[in-house]
Each structure stands twice: as structure tokens, then as C-alpha cells.
């Protein structure tokens, strides 16, 4: 029973690693990065995302060749920043109005 449990856990871990390796890569090129740590704003940064996680900030010379690339043209990216104040009932579709209640 113990060996079966270890074998099952091993198979699950292996499949998780395989999924992580095969998850598609996305590169956000030329972003303005505010990381929330108090560090200065970084401009013209490349951000690599895999499986919904930021994995690196490579120089343009080292961008993964198999990645989907999106040119952000200097738009600001603030990873992990969430909207801490919102009114869910006000937004319906792409309009905000008290009539949406």
C-alpha cells in the first residue's frame, strides 16, 4: 500500500512538472513596470509569463523564440496589484451606471 501511494504521488508530481513545462509562454514587450516594492519604476522591460505566473524579465536578446509576443508600447504593468475598491453592481457590460442595480 505504501509503495502504491508513493507511486501515485510521484505520477502526480511528474504530470504537474510536465504541464508546467508545456504551458504556453507569453512575452509582454516594452512595459513600464511598477512592482510595488518601492523600487524605482522600470521602463522598457520585457515580461515572460507562463501558466499565469511571471517567470522572468529578460533582455530583448534573450526572449523565448516560441512565445506569443505582445508589444505593450510602454503601457504600465503592476503585477499582483488588485482593485481593492470596486462597486460590482455598477458595471454591466462596458458601462457603469446606477441603473445597473
Amino acid at each position: 500500500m505504501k509503495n502504491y501511494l508513493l507511486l501515485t504521488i510521484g505520477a502526480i508530481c511528474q504530470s504537474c512538472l510536465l504541464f508546467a513545462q508545456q504551458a504556453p509562454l507569453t512575452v509582454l514587450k516594452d512595459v513600464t513596470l511598477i512592482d510595488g516594492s518601492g523600487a524605482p519604476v522600470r521602463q522598457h522591460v520585457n515580461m515572460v509569463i507562463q501558466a499565469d505566473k511571471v517567470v522572468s524579465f529578460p533582455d530583448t536578446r534573450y526572449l523565448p523564440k516560441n512565445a506569443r509576443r505582445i508589444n505593450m508600447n510602454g503601457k504600465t504593468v503592476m503585477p499582483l496589484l488588485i482593485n481593492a475598491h470596486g462597486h460590482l453592481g455598477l458595471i454591466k457590460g462596458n458601462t457603469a451606471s446606477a441603473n445597473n442595480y
Side-chain angles (χ1 to χ4, degrees):
M1 181 68 175
K2 190 180 207 180
N3 289 339
Y4 178 74
L5 181 61
L6 289 175
L7 184 62
T8 303
I9 291 171
I12 291 170
C13 291
Q14 182 67 25
S15 64
C16 290
L17 288 172
L18 187 60
F19 172 75
Q21 291 171 354
Q22 293 180 350
L25 293 172
T26 301
V27 175
L28 301 181
K29 292 180 63 181
D30 188 24
V31 302
T32 299
L33 178 67
I34 300 173
D35 66 11
S37 70
V41 173
R42 296 171 55 193
Q43 295 183 341
H44 309 293
V45 174
N46 299 304
M47 179 185 295
V48 178
I49 302 168
Q50 183 177 31
D52 296 330
K53 290 184 172 58
V54 176
V55 293
S56 66
F57 298 95
D59 185 88
T60 303
R61 295 171 291 180
Y62 305 110
L63 293 178
K65 294 186 183 348
N66 60 336
R68 174 179 171 220
R69 297 176 184 215
I70 302 171
N71 192 343
M72 299 296 288
N73 298 311
K75 291 187 173 84
T76 302
V77 175
M78 296 183 284
L80 301 176
L81 184 70
I82 61 168
N83 179 5
H85 179 96
H87 299 270
L88 298 176
L90 289 177
I91 299 174
K92 186 175 187 180
N94 60 0
T95 62
S97 167
N99 295 332
N100 293 337
Y101 275 109

